[in-house]
């Protein structure tokens, strides 16, 4: 492990890693257990990955915990996921504070059950002054929802005369997204072998490196994260330029 860790170039770390934590249900199935058992074990992976990211010096970690589309799952599974959220936030609060990690959330939080929203907001409030890393939970999140609500707000601002249409550019638009204070992720990881984005951070991942692994989320451990970062560091991020131009470029 140490050996793997030592290969990471600390000057080329992504500032922000986003993860689509997928495969809890299939993981549970391989263990002959109900899906909820997979979600419970998924929380263990969240804890491990959060800690290692903080140790490595990653500034932002955004985890897709519940998509807007996930409401269409059986009510018992949705209920279990919401209870797990309350439980996890409450249980982890001490550790988050001990590790100086700030909790934040993106998504349509108003539509969460009152108890889940309450636990979440309490967690955000209790950790707001922490500075080592920001852990962002995407909850009832959908990228298209986020983009549409940004358009609505911008439209309203124009209507009220606070904004001219000419002023709307990429920078301004980003400020109306729920990620307004968060840099775009440089690395997006999806577990469980699925190779799709599932309505996650569509605007923000415009130039992210995508990393897909077959590993189910509850099995995703420190070494898997390090492997993803090493893979990221082997890639050449060109941002539209040619390889030759990058040699003289100072920016990674
Ligand atoms: C990811 O695992 C967790 C959530 C979406 C909440 P899944 O529950 O999607 O697991 P699979 O994809 O069915 O195996
Ligand atoms: C994406 O996983 C959402 C989360 C990880 C919370 P899903 O398992 O819901 O995605 P699809 O339905 O397979 O695309
Ligand atoms: Mg899934």
């Amino acid at each position: 492990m140490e050996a793997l860790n030592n290969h990471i170039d600390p000057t080329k770390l992504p500032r922000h890693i986003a993860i689509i934590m997928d495969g809890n249900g299939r993981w549970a199935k391989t263990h002959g257990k109900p899906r909820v058992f997979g979600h419970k074990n998924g929380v263990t992976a969240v804890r491990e990955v959060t800690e290692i990211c903080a140790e490595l010096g990653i500034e932002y970690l955004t985890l897709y915990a519940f998509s807007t589309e996930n409401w269409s799952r059986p009510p018992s599974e949705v209920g279990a996921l919401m209870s797990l959220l309350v439980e996890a936030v409450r249980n982890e609060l001490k550790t988050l504070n001990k590790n100086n990690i700030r909790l934040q959330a993106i998504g349509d939080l108003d539509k969460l059950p009152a108890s889940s929203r309450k636990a979440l907001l309490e967690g955000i409030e209790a950790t707001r002054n922490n500075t080592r890393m920001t852990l962002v939970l995407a909850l009832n999140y959908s990228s298209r929802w986020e983009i549409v609500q940004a358009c609505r707000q911008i439209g309203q601002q124009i209507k009220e005369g606070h904004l001219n249409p000419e002023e709307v550019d990429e920078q301004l638009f980003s400020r109306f997204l729920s990620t307004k204070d968060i840099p775009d992720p440089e690395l997006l990881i999806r577990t469980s072998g699925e190779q799709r984005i599932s309505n996650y951070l569509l605007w923000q991942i415009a130039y992210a490196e995508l990393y897909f692994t077959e590993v189910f989320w509850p099995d995703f451990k420190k070494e898997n994260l390090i492997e993803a970062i090493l893979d990221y560091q082997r890639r050449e991020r060109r941002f539209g330029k040619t390889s030759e131009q990058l040699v003289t470029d100072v920016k990674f």
Side-chain angles (χ1 to χ4, degrees), residues 26-118:
R26 280 163 286 162
W27 182 89
K29 202 170 181 186
T30 62
H31 289 77
K33 294 274 185 3
R35 294 178 58 85
V36 175
F37 182 71
H39 298 317
K40 284 191 179 143
N41 281 274
V43 176
T44 313
V46 168
R47 191 178 303 125
E48 174 152 345
V49 167
T50 303
E51 273 177 28
I52 174 72
C53 280
E55 273 170 35
L56 286 171
I58 305 297
E59 292 173 56
Y60 297 87
L61 172 66
T62 302
L63 303 175
Y64 208 0
F66 193 87
S67 74
T68 305
E69 291 75 17
N70 287 146
W71 293 111
S72 7
R73 293 192 178 195
S76 58
E77 183 171 342
V78 171
L81 281 166
M82 290 300 154
S83 311
L84 258 183
L85 170 70
V86 178
E87 215 178 284
V89 170
R90 296 226 163 103
N91 289 345
E92 297 307 316
L93 218 51
K94 249 197 195 143
T95 317
L96 289 175
N97 276 329
K98 195 182 96 215
N99 292 331
N100 196 10
I101 298 171
R102 178 170 67 145
L103 182 68
Q104 288 203 332
I106 55 170
D108 192 357
L109 306 181
D110 290 340
K111 300 217 172 68
L112 293 177
S115 57
S116 308
R117 195 174 61 245
K118 185 166 177 279

Side-chain angles (χ1 to χ4, degrees), residues 1-224:
M1 176 53 54
E2 276 307 308
L4 250 186
N5 212 341
N6 289 341
H7 284 98
I8 289 187
D9 179 348
T11 66
K12 281 187 181 177
L13 277 177
R15 285 184 73 192
H16 182 179
I17 298 178
I19 305 184
I20 302 175
M21 311 183 286
D22 200 10
N24 293 353
R26 280 163 286 162
W27 182 89
K29 202 170 181 186
T30 62
H31 289 77
K33 294 274 185 3
R35 294 178 58 85
V36 175
F37 182 71
H39 298 317
K40 284 191 179 143
N41 281 274
V43 176
T44 313
V46 168
R47 191 178 303 125
E48 174 152 345
V49 167
T50 303
E51 273 177 28
I52 174 72
C53 280
E55 273 170 35
L56 286 171
I58 305 297
E59 292 173 56
Y60 297 87
L61 172 66
T62 302
L63 303 175
Y64 208 0
F66 193 87
S67 74
T68 305
E69 291 75 17
N70 287 146
W71 293 111
S72 7
R73 293 192 178 195
S76 58
E77 183 171 342
V78 171
L81 281 166
M82 290 300 154
S83 311
L84 258 183
L85 170 70
V86 178
E87 215 178 284
V89 170
R90 296 226 163 103
N91 289 345
E92 297 307 316
L93 218 51
K94 249 197 195 143
T95 317
L96 289 175
N97 276 329
K98 195 182 96 215
N99 292 331
N100 196 10
I101 298 171
R102 178 170 67 145
L103 182 68
Q104 288 203 332
I106 55 170
D108 192 357
L109 306 181
D110 290 340
K111 300 217 172 68
L112 293 177
S115 57
S116 308
R117 195 174 61 245
K118 185 166 177 279
L120 187 67
L121 297 181
E122 282 169 3
I124 292 171
E125 179 57 28
T127 60
R128 62 198 277 261
N129 294 322
N130 294 343
T131 52
R132 189 171 172 217
M133 187 180 82
T134 302
L135 170 66
V136 186
L137 297 181
L139 277 163
N140 191 21
Y141 178 84
S142 139
S143 205
R144 287 184 172 180
W145 161 81
E146 183 185 39
I147 291 169
V148 168
Q149 66 80 32
C151 292
R152 274 200 200 156
Q153 284 184 51
I154 292 170
Q156 191 65 30
Q157 296 272 315
I158 293 175
K159 192 174 147 194
E160 289 171 8
H162 305 308
L163 203 63
N164 287 319
E166 303 75 48
E167 290 174 274
V168 181
D169 58 11
E170 292 181 15
Q171 252 193 334
L172 182 133
F173 191 84
S174 320
R175 292 208 299 271
F176 286 85
L177 298 173
S178 48
T179 49
K180 61 179 181 304
D181 299 317
I182 304 172
D184 287 343
E186 296 94 336
L187 173 61
L188 171 72
I189 299 172
R190 184 170 189 147
T191 58
S192 89
E194 307 296 357
Q195 300 195 5
R196 56 177 170 264
I197 303 300
S198 303
N199 214 351
Y200 192 42
L201 302 172
L202 297 178
W203 172 277
Q204 297 87 341
I205 59 166
Y207 263 102
E209 296 295 329
L210 309 183
Y211 180 86
F212 299 103
T213 168
E214 294 291 321
V215 176
F216 291 141
W217 177 249
D219 281 336
F220 194 84
K221 297 281 174 307
K222 183 174 178 172
E223 57 267 32
N224 304 104

